[in-house]
Amino acid sequence: MALLEINNLHASIDDKEILKGLSLKVNAGEVHAIMGPNGSGKSTLSYVLAGKPDYEVTEGSATLDGQDLLELEADARAAAGLFLAFQYPIEIPGVATMTFLRTALNSQRKARGEDELSTPDFLRLVKEKAGHLGISQEMLRRGVNVGFSGGEKKRNEILQMALLQPKVAILDETDSGLDIDALKIVSEGVNALRSKDRAMVVITHYQRLLDHIVPDVVHVMHKGRIVRSGGKELALELEASGYAAYGQDAA
Amino acid sequence: MAAVQETVERVRSLDVDQYKYGFVTDIESEKAPKGLSEDTVRYISAKKNEPEWMLEWRLDAYRRWLTMQEPTWARVSYPKIDFQDYYYYSQPKAKPKSLDEIDPEILATYDKLGIPLREREALLGIESTAPRIAVDAVFDSVSVATTFKAELAKAGVIFCSISEAIREHPDLVKQYLGSVVPVSDNFYATLNTAVFSDGSFVYIPKGVRCPMELSTYFRINERNTGQFERTLIIADEGAYVSYLEGCTAPQRDENQLHAAVVELVALKDAEIKYSTVQNWYPGDKDGKGGIYNFVTKRGDCRGDNSKISWTQVETGSAITWKYPSCILRGDGSQGEFYSIAISNGYQQVDSGTKMIHLGKNTSSRIISKGIAAGRSENTYRGQVTAHRKASNARNFTNCDSLLIGDKCGAHTVPYIEAKTASAVFEHEATTSKISEDQMFYCLQRGLSSEEAVALIVNGFVKDVLQQLPMEFAVEAQKLISVSLEGSVG
Ligand SMILES: Nc1ncnc2c1ncn2[C@@H]1O[C@H](COP(=O)(O)OP(=O)(O)O)[C@@H](O)[C@H]1O
Ligand SMILES: [Mg+2]
């Protein structure tokens, strides 16, 4: 069984069906890209998998390492190893990023029956991971995502992924709003987390990111379904032809 | 169910089980006859062996009170209080002479509340780790114990019950009692003046920095009993004291009345830091029972360059009516008010402060964080005034409200008046909600709903928590979690 396995998934919000029978299998060690025009349901897929309230699954299944994701609360899905890098990371004023990271890590460890990390061990870990991503100690003292630039927010998402070491990571438009230097830092951070035990789903609108994070498989999503799958060359083809075939321009 | 919705439901289902201090202590007590009359006032005064001048003062207050009306301007509503339906005095039957003679039931009560009354134990076991705090424990209407008195006396500090101070230090009491909150200040303060039962008295002599934190712990135990404590703190020139106040009560179906008066006097270059963690019983999930908390707290920065700082964490009471204030009389004096007011269930909070600038170059700072959940109503009411002579008066006010759910309300009522053109008053206010998106973000990272709410709320109140003495901050943080979630802590 694949590490992430989605079968015939139907989901709606406010009685409007967005996912219309989506199937996807991602094996451990693989990186899959999902591309597709705006509004095709890419973010919806990530929210439904992560258990965002208000989305209703009407049909189909989704499992992580054989465990039924859909019956779990969002926090239990996280503890089971699912991570979502948000397209638009959320601000939490007054809560220092460092405190947030520590609470998150310890909550997951607790949920898995592991001991909490000691303060020195935690600080050492954060310092190392943050250093690679060019995140300063000063930034870690600021409120979660408060006053962060677009690039800083995205780097902060990758830092969380690096700390939480998920089994399955979904990255939703992690490249949007990044200049080329920031894109490189973020891509390096993601590549460093590629591992034979981990599966990644990289959602993007543009081929550009896939020059840096080279996927094993590329899928095209349209109107709530995967309509085409292929190798990394599919991304280049889409870049050339745009999403015109899917009723929308590339931009 | 949406995550925030779920939290709201949990908050809504929060019931009396969550109030950890709701137990009743079974002891024999001696009460004044029910109701209020001149005889009640005389009874209380006689019980306390008070001098004649004190009785006269009380009677004068009682007569004035008869002519006064209950204030109605606060944004709170409750059935009319029948002042004849309360007991105005209740004391444990066996009156202790020393710490060793305290009724074991009362000692057990304070133990259960986590308040150490036995100095010996405090001295032996935990001295190295826990900071030592001198405690005055007030049980219903009387002070049952004051710890570390001898050690404080060495520094010249007087820390005792107000009853004892009236007998032992009449000159200080006569000079200062009622000098900050006058007899006819307001309906509840006047009532308090007539029937106040006990409370704490503190005097810090010139140039002395009080060698430890002082604390009073109030406990209402008896049914239908009003608690009217009176606290008077005087910091003489150049003195410093940090004082903590805690309160709890059993859970009862009736509403109990609590009307305290606290007066602070800071002379030249003196500083008083007054912190409260108010956790009176808030009533059950349907709004039945709970304490009516009508309190007058005022500090007088009487000398130049004096400073008074109020910090409060308000989580309990069915109704809170409370405005710890500062009169900035001395030139260059400073007043501060840091407040966290949490309301849940059917609680009603109308709280805030008054900063009255009289002296030159006076400054004040107000940081208020209101958190409303359930079906509660939470109002910040603040007044900042500068008189004609208060040149260069400065005030900074920051007043933030956080709503959890959509059945509660938060309101901000500022009154600002400057009679001198050189005054600079700044006012900032925000109202926010814990959003679904914030909750989902936290949950996606593995936090439970309870942890997420606690984290967000603690972030919201951080600026104020930092003002509390360390050991109180930890307690307050826990209390905030418990008041809001029910299942954490
Ligand atoms: N809260 C919502 N209520 C109704 N429709 C929504 C809501 N959120 C998204 N949609 C719709 O769902 C579709 C898919 O959106 P989304 O998943 O964000 O697409 P993508 O990420 O591929 O751009 C869009 O048509 C969008 O308008
Ligand atoms: Mg999207």
Side-chain angles (χ1 to χ4, degrees), chain A residues 42-43 87 172-173 203:
Chain A
K42 304 185 295 294
S43 291
Q87 181 171 2
D172 192 1
E173 309 261 3
I203 295 172

Side-chain angles (χ1 to χ4, degrees), chain B residues 121-171:
Chain B
E121 285 179 12
L123 286 168
L124 285 177
I126 41 178
E127 185 171 26
S128 50
T129 52
R132 286 179 313 150
I133 302 175
V135 178
D136 183 27
V138 176
F139 195 83
D140 287 334
S141 306
V142 294
S143 165
V144 291
T146 311
T147 63
F148 294 108
K149 277 172 94 158
E151 195 168 334
L152 289 167
K154 263 188 241 157
V157 172
I158 304 172
F159 180 39
C160 62
S161 70
I162 193 98
S163 314
E164 186 181 330
I166 291 167
R167 293 190 302 267
E168 309 290 327
H169 310 282
D171 294 343

Side-chain angles (χ1 to χ4, degrees), chain A residues 88-101 130 133-160 177-178, chain B residues 441:
Chain A
Y88 304 107
I90 308 298
E91 298 183 3
I92 311 177
V95 178
T97 303
M98 190 71 107
T99 307
F100 182 72
L101 296 175
L133 290 160
I135 293 175
S136 67
Q137 294 294 305
E138 184 276 324
M139 213 173 119
L140 293 173
R141 281 194 291 270
R142 278 191 254 157
V144 177
N145 293 319
V146 176
F148 285 25
S149 69
E152 285 173 335
K153 284 184 181 168
K154 296 299 169 81
R155 277 187 278 153
N156 189 28
E157 293 293 288
I158 304 306
L159 171 62
Q160 293 175 54
L178 295 187
Chain B
Y441 192 68

Side-chain angles (χ1 to χ4, degrees), chain A residues 28-39:
Chain A
E30 291 179 352
V31 174
H32 288 213
I34 297 182
M35 303 182 74
N38 274 327

